[in-house]
Amino acid sequence: MGKSYRIAVLPGDGTGPEVTAEAVKVLHAAAGKHGFSVETTEFDFGGERYLRTGEALPDSAAQDLRAFDALLLGAIGHPDVKPGILEKGILLRLRFELDQYINLRPVKLYPGVETPLKDKGPEDIDYVVVRENTGGLYTGIGGFTMKGTEHEVAVQSMVYNRKQVERCLRYAFDYTRKRNRKKTLALCGKTNVLTYVYDLWERAFHEIGEADYPDIAREYYHVDATCMWMVKNPEWFDVIVTGNMFGDIITDLGAITQGGMGIAAGGNINPEGVGMFEPIGGSAPKYTGKNVINPLAAICAAAMMLETLGETDAAKAIEASVMAVTPTMKSMGAGKMGFSTTEVGDKIAEGVAS
Ligand code: IPM
Ligand code: MN
């Protein structure tokens, strides 16, 4: 008998519960086939709970979740809760408290999936963004002074220390080596304007690369140019590493080139701790309960979770099943797939089990 994994499922808001249910279905199919087992425990963190209790996350949450092997998150965001409260109170708080300092976001176009990039196909769009996930502008350091007056000042600081930068860069170098494709790591920064923060990143990038990763080629792009090349020549990229804010922005651009939020998955990873895997789209309230939302992003997130747990064969089998099903779908968009949410989940699970 293989290992048994304890997975905390945080279905969250809107369509989150629908997509996580399909991801869990696929996890069980993969477990059955690949000789391990999965035991899930649900947590009700999200907008409904917040409206009921006035608390986004109990103080014990991070500690409780540390007892699990991994976390699977649906979506956070509720139409009756002011933007920022749940995002900061649940998603960002868990990323910080669990020190999930890597946000891993593959940008991969699967067969039969439509991309807005002219003349580009699956052979051109296949790279991974390593986004630093606990620092930078997201630390929330800053404030107002003279608020409400014409002299009002607002400051929000991009903060990085060497250790944060270094651990993220080392993860990215290791990942590039393990991926074993073009063996090229591109740093995405803005050294022409953010002359402190990205100077630190750039120096660390070359120092670490030269000393410990001579087999990995290093490239540098400003963030604005990165966006341009992600559209014009996505085939140039293998692995891109960047800070938190730029990573947030460029991965939405990447997501749309791979077919949109229905398919894009992300992993919040603490290489020494517990990770949280999620579809990178939102809670899509208008589609809630209609069985029309695309569960593939959540399913791909579950595959990334298995990969991170070391169940590489199972992760590959899920991806292979996804690649067999995408050509049969009309679109990746909610309500336009040609199948229901549960049908897509069933098809992937059948593919994995067969
Ligand atoms: C993401 C999201 C979050 C982020 C929001 C919801 C706080 O956009 O995961 O990319 O900015 O990191
Ligand atoms: Mn984002």
Side-chain angles (χ1 to χ4, degrees), residues 100-167:
Q100 294 162 338
Y101 60 88
I102 298 297
N103 195 322
L104 194 64
R105 297 192 164 180
V107 179
K108 181 163 178 175
L109 181 65
Y110 287 127
V113 177
E114 204 180 326
T115 173
L117 301 188
K118 189 166 158 276
D119 300 332
K120 299 293 177 189
E123 63 287 359
D124 304 303
I125 304 175
D126 185 359
Y127 56 94
V128 177
V129 178
V130 176
R131 165 187 175 188
E132 199 290 324
N133 209 32
T134 56
L137 284 167
Y138 278 69
T139 45
I141 292 177
F144 298 108
T145 185
M146 292 175 281
K147 192 172 178 182
T149 75
E150 63 175 325
H151 303 288
E152 175 168 353
V153 178
V155 180
Q156 198 128 19
S157 303
M158 186 181 280
V159 187
Y160 270 112
N161 64 40
R162 171 82 191 204
K163 184 185 161 190
Q164 279 177 312
V165 170
E166 182 151 347
R167 67 183 185 174

Side-chain angles (χ1 to χ4, degrees), residues 130-133 135-136 160 168 187-189 198 201 241-248:
V130 176
R131 165 187 175 188
E132 199 290 324
N133 209 32
Y160 270 112
C168 176
L187 172 65
C188 163
Y198 278 98
W201 275 85
V241 61
T242 189
N244 209 344
M245 187 79 258
F246 293 166
D248 177 49

